[in-house]
Every structure is written in C-alpha cells, then in structure tokens.
Amino acid sequence: MGLALPVVWSDHHRLHEPGGEIWVGVHTAGTELPARADAIRAELAAAGAHFVDTEPQTDDALHAVHDPELTGYLARAYEDWEAAGLPNDPGQDRVVPYLFPDPSLFSGFPPTTATSPSARAGQFAYDTMTLIGPGTWEAARAAIDTAVTAAALASRDGGLAYALTRPPGHHATRSAFGGSCYLNNSAAAAARLRRDTGGRVAVIDIDAHHGNGTQAIFWEDPEVLTGSVHVDPGAGWFPHFLGFASETGREGSNRNLPLAPGTGDEAWLAAVTELVAWARDQRTGGLVVALGVDAAAGDPESPLQVSANGYRAAGRALGELGLPTVVVQEGGYDLATIGSLVRETLEGLEEGMGA
Ligand SMILES: [Zn+2]
C-alpha cells in the first residue's frame, strides 16, 4: 500500500535559486536548494503517492496573510535590481539589503519609501540571508498557491493533503521576509482552511526553528491557534529574538515550546503531543502542520536529535486529531534523508487518521 494522500506540486520551485546566503558579511553556499524538493518528490513517487498540480490562486489568497506592499515589492524586486545595474556594478546578481530602517530612526513617523533598490530591500527583508534571484517571485508565488490548493483539497474531502512547497514560508511575516522565506505558505493554508471550514484552525509547527512569521501573522487572531516546538532561541538559534514560552498571543492563542539543543525523540514528542492536546481542547476544526524535518539528527541547520521513528510518531499523534489537515513543507536540509523523513511523517499521519 502506498501513500493515499494527494501531494500538491509545482515545478516552479526550481526557478528559485537563491545562490547562497550572505551571513556575517560572508557569502556562503546555503542549503535551501532546488534539490531538496526534488528529493522529496522522488521519495514520495517511489512510495506510490499521486501528484496534483498546483492551482493558481487569486491575489485574495495572498493578501489574506500579506500586506500588498510586501507582495508588490517582491514581485518587482529583481527587475528593479537589474534595471539599477547592480549585477554589473558593483557585481551583485542577487537582491541584498544594504541598510535597515530601524524604527528608532523615525521618532514615530512612518519612513519614506527609499528610491534606491538596495535601500528598499532593507525595508522588507529582516536579514541578509534571504536573497532574491530572477525566479524567486514566481517560485514563492507558486509555493503559496500550492499550500492553498492543498488546503482547498483537505477542506473539500475532510482529509489529509500535502503541499510540497519550496521556498519555505514560516519565517515570513505579514510585511517582512527573512529566514530563507518570502511568503508564508502555512499561514495562507490556515487562512483558506478557516474560510472553508468556518471554524477555528490550529497551525502546529514542528520545524526545528520557531515559526515566528506565522506567530506574527495570527498574533491578534484568537481564531487561529499557533503552536511551535523548536530549538531554544535563547541557546543562540534562529530567530534569536522570538520563540520564547512567554509569547502567548491574544487570549493565549500562541504557544511556544522551546527545547534545549541535543533534545531527542522523547522530549520532542512530548512537546508535539502537548500541542496536539491543546488543539483538541480548543476544539479546532482544521489543522495545518508546518512540517520541517530539520529537527532530525544529522540535519546541518539544527542541533535537535529527532529520529525517523520520532517523525513517524509525531505524524501519528497529529493524525489522531482526525481533522481536515494540510501538511506544508518547511525546512529540512540533509538531502540524503529529507525524502524519507517526510515520507515517514506522512505515513504516520495516515496511520493516525485511520487511513
Ligand atoms: Zn527550520
């Protein structure tokens, strides 16, 4: 028996080649590569999954979770960069911010929109690691459409759908991008699920890093619960400034469960189970799983030590909620294991749902 759930997919992810990252001023190779999504696809195809093409969505789906100023910027960012001649002088062929308009510069008045593309990038990017190339917008747009397509399928069938998204999205806020994320795919899936089911929705984020973008987007909205289990930002991990247990959102609708570096299956699963119990207590009618498999032992981007069995058990616990469920791909950077970790989680979800 192969996987039964639909896997929503777009080839457009390959158009996004960030070309590495700028970290502490140094150009590094980066790990958010097109090969990630292709490895997951190959593994799921071998497991008998069936693939569904992404349906292009209207701008409403985008603007349910993003400020039109951000999406308008991202849509033109590369074109404007090129038109300004920056790929030739000084020779930077990716959009990289040059200064960041910190609120303390402005005595409370809103900043003017900068005319220089290098300065404007800093108005929307909150780090220097999230570079924009010629195909980034098309790929990011296709990823959010993929997540919304999966949400529409899950709410129509009352079952499970998987959005094989790339670039990832959970670090993108309503009006800013960073952490290798441009548009928040999981948040858009939650907004669609909520619209279609009419009830409260939970986003449970099991990526190794705190889902700060999703938290920020729904901070004021008690109808979307956001829970995240991740490596403790206080131990020196991205996103550093956010992801602490004290961040509880409006009416307690946000929960963060930070874990010490080195945490393995037992404590990680206990945290996932705690978020599952919370979603059950709060009588949610739909679930988004922000699935990063970078909490696995051996992933180059995190110090957590979760096993493939751990991911499968997490899938089972999440599936036991028995809700319309959209699984949205977030991180996971070990190309040798990313596919099997995703497959194990999805199989666990199907087992949990009694498929
Ligand atoms: Zn991550």
Side-chain angles (χ1 to χ4, degrees), residues 171-339:
H171 296 308
T173 71
R174 207 167 271 279
S175 55
F177 69 99
S180 302
C181 301
Y182 304 86
L183 298 173
N184 197 314
N185 311 315
S186 291
R192 176 59 186 256
L193 205 52
R194 184 177 164 201
R195 193 192 88 180
D196 286 359
T197 62
R200 197 173 230 195
V201 165
V203 182
I204 297 183
D205 188 322
I206 62 171
D207 186 277
H209 305 97
H210 173 233
N212 63 296
T214 318
Q215 168 177 305
I217 287 170
F218 296 117
W219 184 256
E220 294 285 340
D221 184 355
E223 291 306 301
V224 179
L225 304 179
T226 46
S228 181
V229 48
H230 47 263
V231 62
D232 184 0
W237 291 87
F238 190 91
H240 302 279
F241 300 98
L242 291 152
F244 298 95
S246 56
E247 297 153 25
T248 54
R250 186 161 163 207
E251 297 173 22
S253 61
N254 186 72
R255 288 194 66 182
N256 288 328
L257 301 177
L259 299 172
T263 296
D265 284 359
E266 198 178 334
W268 184 78
L269 277 170
V272 173
T273 308
E274 197 177 326
L275 293 178
V276 168
W278 179 52
R280 188 178 284 122
D281 288 349
Q282 299 289 317
R283 290 194 289 276
T284 53
L287 174 67
V288 174
V289 179
L291 174 60
V293 293
D294 47 1
D299 192 280
E301 300 291 346
S302 113
L304 297 178
Q305 299 290 326
V306 178
S307 72
N309 281 337
Y311 268 100
R312 192 180 188 104
R316 220 177 285 126
L318 291 157
E320 282 169 4
L321 282 169
L323 297 171
T325 298
V326 193
V327 184
V328 179
Q329 188 62 42
E330 299 288 356
Y333 303 95
D334 177 16
L335 293 174
T337 58
I338 187 172

Side-chain angles (χ1 to χ4, degrees), residues 92-210:
Q92 176 53 267
D93 67 355
R94 293 293 183 270
V95 176
V96 185
Y98 143 69
L99 87 168
F100 298 92
D102 184 275
S104 69
L105 292 167
F106 299 102
S107 317
F109 59 83
T112 304
T113 299
T115 50
S116 153
S118 59
R120 196 154 62 237
Q123 191 178 335
F124 298 99
Y126 64 77
D127 65 30
T128 61
M129 312 188 303
T130 311
L131 309 185
I132 297 174
T136 298
W137 168 249
E138 273 172 281
R141 181 67 207 248
I144 202 166
D145 287 353
T146 298
V148 174
T149 303
L153 286 174
S155 51
R156 190 192 68 193
D157 303 336
L160 186 60
Y162 171 58
L164 208 179
T165 44
R166 180 187 166 272
H170 71 151
H171 296 308
T173 71
R174 207 167 271 279
S175 55
F177 69 99
S180 302
C181 301
Y182 304 86
L183 298 173
N184 197 314
N185 311 315
S186 291
R192 176 59 186 256
L193 205 52
R194 184 177 164 201
R195 193 192 88 180
D196 286 359
T197 62
R200 197 173 230 195
V201 165
V203 182
I204 297 183
D205 188 322
I206 62 171
D207 186 277
H209 305 97
H210 173 233

Side-chain angles (χ1 to χ4, degrees), residues 6-77:
V7 176
V8 186
W9 161 267
S10 168
D11 284 334
H12 283 18
H13 83 84
R14 296 188 191 120
L15 298 170
H16 174 51
E17 298 201 43
E21 303 175 348
I22 309 291
W23 188 68
V24 299
V26 177
H27 187 269
T28 62
T31 51
E32 205 294 280
L33 306 170
R36 297 177 55 245
D38 290 335
I40 297 170
R41 184 187 162 99
E43 176 83 19
L44 300 185
H50 74 281
F51 292 85
V52 175
D53 288 335
T54 296
E55 289 269 346
Q57 304 292 320
T58 64
D59 285 350
D60 291 354
L62 204 58
H63 295 149
V65 292
H66 288 296
D67 190 328
E69 245 201 305
L70 171 67
T71 58
Y73 167 73
L74 288 171
R76 294 187 47 86

